[in-house]
Amino acid sequence: MLFPPKTHDDLLQAAARIDPVHYARTRNHLRGGVTRLSPYISRGVISTREVMEQVRAAGHTWRNCESLFKELAWRDYFQRVQEHYPQLHAEAIKQEQTGVLHQGVPLAVQQAQTGIEGIDLGINEMLEVGYVHNHQRMYIAMLCCNIGQFHWKACADWMYYHLIDGDVASNYSSWQWTAGAFSSKRYMANQENINHNTETHQFGTFLDHEYDVLRTMPVPEVLGMTATRPAVSWTVENMVSLLNDRIPFFTSDKGNEKVVVYNTYQLKQEPWIAESHRKVLLLEPSFFHRFPISERVMNWMIEQAMMIPEITVFVGEWSAWREQYPAVENHCIAHPLFAHYEGKVLQRDWMFPEINGYYPSFFAYWKQVEKRYSW
């Protein structure tokens, strides 16, 4: 398994071993020195701040770490954006995407048959293991939105469905950024760029042109066909069936005991509160209806959740949880996707907690970081 379930200690040790100089030099390449921590960061097992602190403790300078920290900070930045634009998965953040000719997802993209080897390699990896290199994600989005002229929404849904490291804020904001709905211009990459970063050697493809040609050429025929995309419809019944007794179900007859509420974005293994408490993983069907995921992704999250000592599970809506256990004292960690939780909300572990609010660009956000952080 490419990303086996891991303990928090394992991840701290992995973070301490990161070589930020090698990362900065090679991160855009398919075989570059990426951290391989993204699923665990996305699911809240380890935070961006903890990764930063481990790298700093290893003795690296801020200057050597800046490229790594910027990439980590994009995650926090997008979630700050999500706090102000909770519908960013469905609505344009800045302006509508221009030049849209198609809805849905190109069939050639769904089947990894675009004819661009460096892109098809990434799609096949995502379909097989639920992960794809970040630069290939940009290539895929560019191909769909800016070459194929597809709207970003359905394409972003398709990618999120398959990613074990899927993060709503990062995924949908990145697609919008690529498509020009959250940026001043649309992202482009030609065949030369793709060859360089994916170690492929293709020539004469529909992307083998200068950028001014790519921006004005007709949609390639290979990207002209769409097809219905099947997806799992998650219900209480099929989630319970998939759990298959791997995690015990929550039960209580004590009334007002303290309960820490986990979800698939908050799988932190360490205690959140000092007092004696129960732990429950809340799986809401309505959440997975809004943000469909594959069975592989659901299984991965369940396996990772099983690393939390004494975890139990409740399958149902928050309203059903409150109705069934009205007297429990709920504790949860703040997250823009779960603002409907009630109880004692704990602050999350932001990388740069002082820098909050909405910034219209990552550049503006990072300028605030540079004013406050260095060593």
Side-chain angles (χ1 to χ4, degrees), residues 1 3-6 39-40 43 128-130 160-165 232 234 238-247 264 267 281 283 288 292-307:
M1 183 183 292
F3 296 99
K6 291 188 177 182
Y40 312 101
R43 303 304 172 186
E128 291 171 8
V129 301
Y160 179 82
Y161 177 84
H162 289 287
L163 293 174
I164 60 172
D165 65 348
V232 177
W234 291 107
N238 60 19
M239 278 195 279
V240 169
S241 176
L242 189 68
L243 282 161
N244 194 27
D245 298 326
R246 287 181 286 177
I247 302 177
T264 51
L267 298 178
L281 172 65
L283 298 177
F288 301 106
I293 57 172
S294 71
E295 186 170 318
R296 175 190 291 109
V297 176
M298 182 68 82
N299 265 314
W300 188 92
M301 293 188 296
I302 290 170
E303 293 294 326
Q304 183 61 53
M306 290 168 61
M307 303 295 286

Side-chain angles (χ1 to χ4, degrees), residues 15-298:
R17 292 193 297 268
I18 295 172
D19 180 346
V21 175
H22 180 62
Y23 174 89
R25 188 171 62 249
T26 66
R27 67 180 178 83
N28 287 339
H29 293 268
L30 215 56
R31 299 185 185 181
V34 295
T35 68
R36 299 287 185 178
L37 293 177
S38 60
Y40 312 101
I41 295 173
S42 294
R43 303 304 172 186
V45 188
I46 186 172
S47 70
T48 51
R49 186 172 185 87
E50 287 176 313
V51 175
M52 180 177 73
E53 289 173 344
Q54 288 297 304
V55 174
R56 180 181 184 179
H60 300 289
T61 65
W62 174 268
R63 181 178 179 181
N64 285 344
C65 295
E66 190 167 3
S67 178
L68 171 66
F69 291 168
K70 276 184 176 179
E71 293 306 308
L72 289 170
W74 273 100
R75 290 178 173 274
D76 280 21
Y77 169 67
F78 282 144
Q79 289 198 3
R80 290 298 194 187
V81 173
Q82 189 178 41
E83 288 181 328
H84 291 264
Y85 292 94
Q87 291 296 110
L88 60 72
H89 63 284
E91 300 173 1
I93 298 170
K94 283 191 174 181
Q95 63 266 332
E96 294 299 326
Q97 177 186 344
T98 60
V100 175
L101 299 177
H102 306 290
Q103 302 292 330
V105 186
L107 179 62
V109 170
Q110 295 184 50
Q111 297 179 343
Q113 294 178 355
T114 69
I116 308 299
E117 291 177 9
I119 291 177
D120 290 341
L121 284 169
I123 298 171
N124 273 320
E125 182 176 25
M126 183 181 73
L127 298 177
E128 291 171 8
V129 301
Y131 172 82
V132 58
H133 189 284
N134 187 62
H135 221 63
Q136 286 176 308
R137 299 183 197 200
M138 294 171 62
Y139 291 153
I140 296 166
M142 177 276 302
L143 191 73
C144 291
C145 299
N146 303 336
I147 301 297
Q149 307 300 340
F150 280 75
H151 191 270
W152 59 267
K153 165 61 178 168
C155 297
D157 290 342
W158 165 78
M159 181 171 281
Y160 179 82
Y161 177 84
H162 289 287
L163 293 174
I164 60 172
D165 65 348
D167 176 276
V168 167
S170 292
N171 181 66
Y172 290 90
S173 296
S174 295
W175 275 84
Q176 291 204 44
W177 183 89
T178 301
F182 186 36
S183 58
S184 58
K185 61 181 180 180
R186 302 198 289 179
Y187 170 75
M188 281 288 184
N190 64 11
Q191 189 65 61
E192 181 182 8
N193 182 301
I194 294 170
N195 285 345
H196 176 71
N197 288 316
T198 63
E199 299 181 10
T200 54
H201 306 279
Q202 279 192 288
F203 302 95
T205 72
F206 59 82
L207 292 181
D208 196 10
H209 297 285
E210 297 298 324
Y211 286 105
D212 57 345
V213 174
L214 293 181
R215 293 187 181 97
T216 59
M217 73 181 191
V219 174
E221 185 177 351
V222 70
L223 299 178
M225 185 180 297
T226 62
T228 303
R229 183 177 62 86
V232 177
S233 177
W234 291 107
T235 64
V236 171
E237 291 75 21
N238 60 19
M239 278 195 279
V240 169
S241 176
L242 189 68
L243 282 161
N244 194 27
D245 298 326
R246 287 181 286 177
I247 302 177
F249 288 90
F250 181 91
T251 58
S252 175
D253 56 6
K254 295 182 179 180
N256 61 349
E257 61 184 329
K258 293 179 173 64
V259 174
V260 170
V261 180
Y262 295 75
N263 55 59
T264 51
Y265 278 82
Q266 298 289 359
L267 298 178
K268 181 178 171 65
Q269 294 160 11
E270 290 63 43
W272 299 0
I273 61 175
E275 302 90 344
S276 176
H277 60 276
R278 300 281 303 281
K279 304 173 185 179
V280 61
L281 172 65
L282 181 64
L283 298 177
E284 297 178 276
S286 64
F287 180 83
F288 301 106
H289 178 74
R290 288 176 66 206
F291 306 108
I293 57 172
S294 71
E295 186 170 318
R296 175 190 291 109
V297 176
M298 182 68 82

